[in-house]
Amino acid sequence: MAQQANQPLPNGFKLEEYTIDRQLSLGGFSIVYLATDGEGIQVAIKEYLPNSLALRNDGDVKPVITAEHLGAFRYGMKCFFEEGRSLAKLSHPNVIRVLNFFRANDTVYMVMEYEHGRTLQEFIQKHQGHISERFIRGVFTRMLNGLREVHSHKLLHLDLKPSNIYLRGDNSPVLIDFGAARQTLATDQPILKPMYTPGFASPEHYGSRKDLGPWSDIYSVGASMYACLAGCAPLAADERLKKDNLGPAMIRWEGQYSDRLLEIIDWCLNLNHLYRPQSVFTLQKALVETITPPNPKDSNARWFGRIVDKFRKPTK
Amino acid sequence: MRFTIYQDSLQGGRANNEDRTTYCYSRDALLMVVADGMGGHHYGEIAAQIAIQTLADSFQREAQPMVVDPFRFLQRSMSNAHHAILDYTTLHHLKDSPRTTCVACLIQDNVAYWAHAGDSRLFLMRDGRIITQTRDHSRVRLLIEEGMITEAQAAEHPDRNKIYSCLGSPNPPEIEFSRKMPLEHGDILLLCSDGLWGVTSGEQMALALKGANLLQAIPTLMRQTEIKGGPHGDNLSVVAVHWEQSYIEDATSSISTQTMSQDEVTTKMEEFGRTPAYKSDLTEDEIEKAIEEIRMAIDKYNPKK
């Protein structure tokens, strides 16, 4: 059965003290809006609206929730509360801040800070494979500060990927979208499927999920760094389990980035979770160690390669 | 952080107890200290008290919730303690400064750092064996290392209580630092005064504590040692911690620092995004309550400007 997409609230809609400016994103579990509060400050509002359980028709404000789905809808709401509850307790510059939480239109809303910027995903797409080591180290070291805070609250992110790492104007990273953090509880609720993103989800995400731990988020961090180098997501972990065709970073980018960085990426992307860095701190420590510059003799080729790349692109 | 910790100090056969122990912890760091005030000098217990207080004070000030540089923290607070003892001496016009040994251990991010001056010891025990221990700053230790005497002879040596480094002496103390020691789940770190290790050897303690609950095993060990020490036995003191990996879920009598500072982390230990603790229908009341709870958390952690 094809699922119908939920209709967003119309632009200009008054939601409590907020005015909806426009829809920012639509997910299977929620809709995110850009809105303005009473003082003219922009915020992001996340509306709990699971596609499969509640349907808002065009022109309506309240979604239709059938009696058979009410139980699951309420259960999902509980997960949404968990997300709010966990985020509310995290006060960290690298983790998105929750500003308000309220109930309206038969569902619930979470108001979060909004800042101008872009996701790492957009950044990667724009810079296709030409992201500097300095940038990667800088962004990831700071992002890991936030992740550490998350883990120290006994919470896993579980859906880390470049599109969930938001970069402010000054390139300082913010972790966003903790929707997966709690949804993973729903494995035996077929209607609210656990969510993950192929390529960034760890092998533990598939299957029984009982081995999920900090190391699972660390796999996703490794995959995100790999994506910075490759310009696209690495091979999905379930495919890798069948046949591991993922070229180690150490081989693919030898000489272009420091050996240490490449080694760290491969370390994080180990299929066996026990062989990965076991804590964010371990990973962070490795990342901030002194950088040994890549082999200088290749620098010319790299520079040349870049120029050639530049000329190549338009002909594609 | 998760750990089980126990400290105890017994008088032995002495007229007073000049040993002092302390431990303190923040959400992300743990400090343990044992100081053995020197009986040969006056006011040994004062020196020991100043030492543990100085260390505990600096910890409370600096562990927010972690100490920035563990070794510098130990170095600075131990030498501050040393100077605090000397200041006390001047202030009270004492003829001779009171002195104390000191061993202190800081744990954060699963790594232990320690420092010591004198012959109070730290043992790191794993699977009933001693992985590492401090080297006493004593004359007999030097003699043993030079091969002049054996361990057995050292236990009977007339100079066995003479140490060449301590806090409070007019000569600056020689403070010896450990290396960074990553801890494993189940490791035991035991800090003690010579009243304990002089009677019950480290190896014996490691065996006695293997797989045991410290809250029961340490008091037994202490009482047995006190009896063995006899009517003239020295003061004996211990702080021992049984380290548990934060991500391992079973723990009984252990302390979890996650739940400590106020109700900040409440009782959500089991919910590492895995345990299904749901399965009940959400009533209207519960929805209202949940929203109220989240709003309170927002106000508390993210005060509006």
Side-chain angles (χ1 to χ4, degrees), chain B residues 121 140-141 143-144 148-158 160 197-198 201:
Chain B
R121 286 188 187 172
V140 288
R141 171 58 42 194
L143 289 174
I144 292 171
M148 309 288 279
I149 57 169
T150 64
E151 293 275 356
Q153 283 173 309
E156 302 296 320
H157 201 275
R160 65 181 176 277
W197 66 252
S201 76

Side-chain angles (χ1 to χ4, degrees), chain A residues 74-75 77-78 81-82 84-85 88-89 91 97-103 108 148-149 151-156 182 184-185 188 210 212-214 281, chain B residues 27 66 109 246-247 258 264-266 268-269 271-275 278-284 287-288 290-291 293-295 297-298 301-302 304-305:
Chain A
R74 285 280 166 96
Y75 167 66
M77 191 182 278
K78 222 168 172 175
F81 286 153
E82 285 301 336
R85 215 172 271 157
K89 284 179 191 163
S91 182
R97 266 167 34 114
V98 179
L99 305 172
N100 197 2
F101 205 100
F102 60 88
R103 196 176 175 192
V108 281
R148 232 167 108 181
E149 185 71 11
H151 286 179
S152 74
H153 281 75
K154 298 280 166 198
L155 188 73
L156 300 174
R182 293 293 165 166
T184 58
L185 301 174
D188 56 344
K210 64 174 176 10
L212 284 173
F281 180 68
Chain B
R27 197 186 73 195
M66 265 199 270
D109 274 326
S246 322
Y247 297 127
Q258 294 303 320
E264 191 169 12
V265 190
T266 56
K268 293 197 173 174
M269 296 299 301
E271 297 187 17
F272 211 127
R274 307 178 201 176
T275 327
Y278 52 91
K279 276 290 169 193
S280 58
D281 276 339
L282 207 55
T283 64
E284 290 292 309
I287 294 177
E288 290 301 327
I291 290 176
E293 202 182 305
I294 294 167
R295 289 182 153 206
I298 292 170
Y301 294 94
N302 297 297
K304 288 191 182 101
K305 277 156 244 164

Side-chain angles (χ1 to χ4, degrees), chain A residues 129-260:
Chain A
H130 295 307
I131 298 180
S132 73
E133 168 144 2
R134 227 183 102 133
F135 177 87
I136 295 173
R137 285 187 187 253
V139 165
F140 280 88
T141 310
R142 282 177 294 171
M143 185 277 283
L144 289 172
N145 282 331
L147 188 60
R148 232 167 108 181
E149 185 71 11
V150 172
H151 286 179
S152 74
H153 281 75
K154 298 280 166 198
L155 188 73
L156 300 174
H157 188 290
L158 295 183
D159 195 22
L160 263 177
K161 54 183 173 185
S163 59
N164 278 341
I165 299 170
Y166 193 80
L167 301 173
R168 295 190 183 101
D170 62 352
N171 281 343
S172 63
V174 192
L175 283 174
I176 57 170
D177 200 350
F178 284 69
R182 293 293 165 166
Q183 264 165 284
T184 58
L185 301 174
T187 38
D188 56 344
Q189 282 265 5
I191 214 146
L192 286 171
K193 288 201 188 68
M195 124 180 145
Y196 49 75
T197 311
F200 298 103
S202 71
E204 306 91 79
H205 277 76
Y206 304 87
S208 74
R209 306 166 74 88
K210 64 174 176 10
D211 289 328
L212 284 173
W215 41 84
S216 311
D217 278 343
I218 283 168
Y219 183 95
S220 308
V221 172
S224 303
M225 290 197 278
Y226 194 97
C228 287
L229 271 50
C232 58
L235 188 67
D238 57 338
E239 293 298 320
R240 290 185 65 199
L241 286 171
K242 283 179 219 148
K243 188 169 192 294
D244 194 359
N245 282 330
L246 182 74
M250 203 58 183
I251 293 171
R252 273 187 76 172
W253 294 283
E254 197 198 343
Q256 301 176 38
Y257 293 88
S258 71
D259 283 356
R260 188 62 186 142

Side-chain angles (χ1 to χ4, degrees), chain A residues 44-117:
Chain A
I45 300 183
K46 191 172 183 176
E47 178 183 47
Y48 169 62
L49 205 62
N51 242 345
S52 50
L53 304 175
L55 192 70
R56 181 192 284 124
N57 294 311
D58 206 6
D60 285 355
V61 171
K62 291 183 178 183
V64 179
I65 306 154
T66 58
E68 62 165 322
H69 285 152
L70 190 61
F73 180 81
R74 285 280 166 96
Y75 167 66
M77 191 182 278
K78 222 168 172 175
C79 301
F80 195 77
F81 286 153
E82 285 301 336
E83 181 188 354
R85 215 172 271 157
S86 343
L87 273 177
K89 284 179 191 163
L90 290 169
S91 182
H92 193 278
N94 302 115
V95 178
I96 189 131
R97 266 167 34 114
V98 179
L99 305 172
N100 197 2
F101 205 100
F102 60 88
R103 196 176 175 192
N105 306 334
D106 288 348
T107 184
V108 281
Y109 295 85
M110 181 158 70
V111 183
M112 295 168 291
E113 64 173 343
Y114 178 80
E115 281 185 67
H116 282 286

Side-chain angles (χ1 to χ4, degrees), chain B residues 117-129:
Chain B
D119 65 353
S120 292
R121 286 188 187 172
L122 175 144
F123 295 98
L124 171 60
M125 303 164 177
R126 187 173 293 166
D127 302 324
R129 279 199 309 265

